[in-house]
Amino acid sequence: MRSVHAYDVNRPATLIDLISDALATPREGVLEERLPGRAWESLAAQCVRERVDAVASALRNAGIARGDRVGIFAQNRVDWLVCDYGILFAGAVSVPMYATLADDQVAFIVGEAGIRLMFVETPAQAEKLHALCGTSIRAITFDGEGDDSLQRFEAGSAARGAGARRAPHDASPPVGADDLALLMYTSGTTGEPKGVMLTHGNLVSNVVAAFAPERGELQPGDVAFSVLPFAHVYEHTNALGFLLLRLTHVVSVPDRLLDDIREARPRVAAFVPRIFERVLTGVLARARADGGLRAQLVPWALAAARQHARAHADGRSPGPFLALRFALARALVLRKLKAALGLERIGHLVSGSAPLPRDTALTFAGAGIPVCEGYGLTETSPVVSVNRTAAIRYGSVGKPLADVEVRIADDGEILVRGPNVMRGYYRRETDVPFVDGGWFCTGDIGRLDADGYLWIVDRKKDLFKTTGGKWISPARIEAAIKRSPYVGQAVVVGANRPHPTALIAPAWDLVRREFALPEDTATGRIAARDDVRGRIEAEVVRATAELAPHEQVRRVILLPRDLTLEDGELSPTLKIKRRIVEARYAGLIEAAFAAVSLP
């Protein structure tokens, strides 16, 4: 068991204190964004604070009392953060919802949480909300007009004067560390969403413990970049950390990611593994599209970068031949690659929310872009552990935070205890994922090495046993398969079967260029080709050759398209909903196991 160390930072008591302190120092460019069809916009600290105060006052004027739940149902933008902070300043509870959430889940959350007022993007969303949940819920629109537009909402508060714009501290009693701040519903990969109750104290402790050590590395004014949804606790906490460190926070959305990051040229950014993989696949596809020497040089350089970084990560000398290859790769490709991606000023990238394949992280590291992988859950606010740039152990998720305890149960499950652990699940008193001593059961299988680094093996509920009696970790096999640039997505199945089988969505652009297919060739037609199937099968055999015999994939199922958020197969942070995928492709899975296996 890891011992607890008291954190010696003068920690604010609530998120209200944290945000107030961060905005008290006059400075420009606290929040920046470029909405579709608009130029870059920048808000200074004073403007952000004034808007937050205005939203808080307007909420109180609208009858929102301390502890009431207020929803946000929109894509990332500066308005999202302003309203979130305004909800907290009003003493209310913020209930963030993904902009892509299905209608039935929106209705469920609104009903269970008792949301009376919701911030949405457009009047069309407001109409849809009223159709789903009734007209008693008030919808304030970011892009609307009239009394229920955010602009009018804020302006109406300002018109009432400073007397109405009191901080929640002025109420009696003041908002405290034990008061609820966020009711954050887990998107879940199966079943009904659950509302995770996170207090001000939970979130403040986690932000300070996770970000305060970065003060020596990140300086006020450095550019931080957001693209993950603020409705996920991962990016919500990142945004608070950027405030704590007084960084310039640039807000983007996925369809503008590459353009915005090239313009922002950030010092730090946080991604999920799928984004890292897409970037590398895009680089390779572009090189092959350019043809000629570049088509050979870029894959060669990335391979040299990965092998060089792996040697150092494993404590080995690269050797003279690899050192020479790497020096040439850096001079010819890697230095230009960082600039082309807009990452030449990057100090480090952060990866979380799902396991990052080690080879992917090592490829970025070899290109001069350190990746600090961390681990956490919504229930832990979220950070449990994270690698620091000065001591990255690739493949691990770093060391636990200073005030977080981690231990491994007898069955391998990771248990967590600390000030960051949630109060519980909303209206689910009997759903108590704790064991004696207040240890939270994460549902993940892991191990702690001799130096205190945490390694994730798999989700406890995802482990399965073959008919041969062997336990299988699908995440381990999927990570091996995804070493191939030809694999976009992989899901390994095989519970109560003789051997594991992999469902794979290829990296379509790369496959099109490899087989000289027109750009508009449908993915279903590509997946039906025998030559494509042969290439992917060969890649899977190669990638899993070093695994144990019972882990090696004996059959490959090519999916006709990518697994998508819109079709309910991915969570909003792009994690695969394994149970849904298995049910949707049950026919293909049955046929694959009935067919002759790969040699």
Side-chain angles (χ1 to χ4, degrees):
M1 182 176 71
R2 184 179 178 276
S3 61
V4 181
H5 302 283
Y7 208 80
D8 60 357
V9 173
N10 186 17
R11 177 182 295 164
T14 68
L15 291 175
I16 298 163
D17 298 324
L18 186 154
I19 296 164
S20 297
D21 292 348
L23 297 177
T25 304
R27 58 192 178 95
E28 301 296 322
V30 173
L31 293 172
E32 297 186 358
E33 70 180 356
R34 182 179 61 182
L35 294 174
R38 303 184 195 177
W40 282 97
E41 296 182 10
S42 178
L43 272 68
Q46 182 178 354
C47 180
V48 175
R49 178 58 196 259
E50 288 175 352
R51 289 193 61 194
V52 168
D53 283 342
V55 170
S57 180
L59 287 168
R60 287 189 290 266
N61 295 337
I64 298 298
R66 175 173 167 171
D68 284 348
R69 276 76 62 203
V70 178
I72 309 177
F73 183 43
Q75 290 194 67
N76 281 16
R77 56 194 292 171
V78 166
D79 292 335
W80 200 110
L81 292 173
V82 166
C83 291
D84 182 59
Y85 301 159
I87 293 167
L88 299 173
F89 271 55
V93 179
S94 180
V95 187
M97 283 182 272
Y98 298 107
T100 55
L101 207 59
D103 291 351
D104 61 331
Q105 291 188 317
V106 172
F108 173 83
I109 293 172
V110 169
E112 181 176 89
I115 293 172
R116 296 173 48 208
L117 185 146
M118 181 94 80
F119 293 101
V120 300
E121 276 186 284
T122 65
Q125 280 182 304
E127 291 178 7
K128 187 174 184 179
L129 179 67
H130 289 145
L132 287 171
C133 307
T135 56
S136 61
I137 182 171
R138 185 177 179 187
I140 304 298
T141 60
F142 292 162
D143 293 328
E145 298 178 353
D147 291 340
D148 284 339
S149 68
L150 180 59
Q151 183 178 18
R152 188 74 64 84
F153 193 64
E154 291 183 44
S157 167
R160 291 175 180 265
R165 296 172 61 186
R166 65 192 187 284
H169 306 68
D170 299 331
S172 181
V175 171
D178 292 333
D179 283 307
L180 197 60
L182 289 186
L183 183 56
M184 190 159 275
Y185 279 81
T186 57
S187 61
T189 54
T190 61
E192 202 172 71
K194 291 188 289 189
V196 176
M197 296 188 290
L198 298 176
T199 67
H200 283 264
N202 289 152
L203 291 155
V204 167
S205 73
N206 204 241
V207 173
V208 172
F211 282 88
E214 303 292 334
R215 288 188 189 279
E217 185 174 331
L218 300 171
Q219 301 300 320
D222 281 349
V223 175
F225 190 85
S226 273
V227 69
L228 305 176
F230 293 133
H232 191 282
V233 68
Y234 176 32
E235 197 65 15
H236 190 277
T237 295
N238 283 334
L240 291 167
F242 299 157
L243 266 182
L244 178 75
L245 298 184
R246 290 158 174 75
L247 307 179
T248 294
H249 184 178
V250 174
V251 178
S252 183
V253 292
D255 59 0
R256 295 202 311 272
L257 168 65
L258 293 180
D259 289 339
D260 282 357
I261 207 166
R262 287 189 192 103
E263 293 190 37
R265 300 192 177 279
R267 177 76 176 155
V268 63
F271 297 147
V272 292
R274 183 72 173 138
I275 292 179
F276 287 97
E277 293 160 4
R278 282 179 175 174
V279 169
L280 289 183
T281 299
V283 168
L284 289 169
R286 178 61 185 271
R288 285 184 166 86
D290 290 343
L293 180 61
R294 182 174 170 79
Q296 302 298 321
L297 192 58
V298 170
W300 171 84
L302 291 177
R306 180 172 59 255
Q307 292 163 15
H308 190 266
R310 185 187 295 121
H312 282 289
D314 293 344
R316 297 182 286 105
S317 169
F321 179 66
L322 178 55
L324 177 60
R325 283 181 58 203
F326 176 69
L328 289 172
R330 186 170 53 183
L332 296 173
V333 174
L334 302 178
R335 286 176 180 167
K336 299 174 186 177
L337 178 63
K338 286 182 68 174
L341 293 174
L343 297 175
E344 72 270 30
R345 296 196 307 199
I346 203 75
H348 65 273
L349 296 174
V350 180
S351 179
S353 184
L356 177 67
R358 188 170 188 256
D359 279 1
T360 300
L362 290 172
T363 303
F364 276 90
I369 306 169
V371 180
C372 296
E373 188 174 5
Y375 165 72
L377 306 92
T378 304
E379 292 87 344
T380 57
S381 301
V383 186
V384 170
S385 64
V386 66
N387 278 283
R388 303 295 183 184
T389 51
I392 298 175
R393 187 159 293 183
Y394 285 104
S396 82
V397 291
K399 294 184 177 183
L401 299 187
D403 54 2
V404 175
E405 291 180 274
V406 170
R407 78 176 189 187
I408 308 300
D410 291 342
D411 63 355
E413 183 173 9
I414 300 168
L415 306 180
V416 176
R417 186 168 66 180
N420 59 322
V421 177
M422 67 170 182
R423 178 190 294 177
Y425 294 119
Y426 189 63
R427 293 187 173 180
R428 286 172 172 80
E429 291 79 6
T430 59
D431 193 348
V432 184
F434 294 93
V435 294
D436 291 345
W439 290 95
F440 170 69
C441 305
T442 65
D444 291 314
I445 302 296
R447 62 181 178 87
L448 286 165
D449 68 20
D451 297 317
Y453 284 81
L454 180 61
W455 299 73
I456 307 300
V457 176
D458 210 328
R459 285 291 294 170
K460 186 175 180 179
K461 64 183 179 182
D462 289 341
L463 297 176
F464 62 80
K465 188 180 285 189
T466 66
T467 53
K470 299 289 189 179
W471 281 104
I472 297 291
S473 165
R476 169 178 160 82
I477 303 173
E478 288 159 3
I481 292 171
K482 288 166 71 175
R483 292 173 182 169
S484 169
Y486 292 91
V487 175
Q489 296 166 308
V491 183
V492 171
V493 299
N496 302 315
R497 307 280 191 169
H499 49 71
T501 283
L503 290 81
I504 290 176
W508 304 107
D509 289 344
L510 196 57
V511 171
R512 285 189 184 97
R513 291 182 171 93
E514 180 73 16
F515 289 90
L517 301 174
E519 292 295 321
D520 60 352
T521 306
T523 57
R525 290 183 58 194
I526 296 173
R529 290 175 59 109
D530 290 339
D531 52 354
V532 172
R533 178 181 299 278
R535 169 57 65 85
I536 300 300
E537 288 178 345
E539 289 288 310
V540 169
V541 169
R542 180 187 60 79
T544 60
E546 296 180 0
L547 299 180
H550 68 274
E551 295 176 304
Q552 292 174 4
V553 171
R554 304 291 181 85
R555 191 70 180 174
V556 169
I557 301 168
L558 288 196
L559 298 177
R561 58 173 177 79
D562 278 335
L563 304 173
T564 68
L565 187 65
E566 293 74 19
D567 290 314
E569 296 151 340
L570 302 180
S571 75
T573 50
L574 307 182
K575 288 186 285 190
I576 292 172
K577 295 184 177 182
R578 189 178 300 276
R579 304 293 178 255
I580 290 176
V581 172
E582 287 188 38
R584 186 158 293 170
Y585 293 100
L588 290 179
I589 294 170
E590 289 295 330
F593 279 108
V596 177
S597 297
L598 292 174

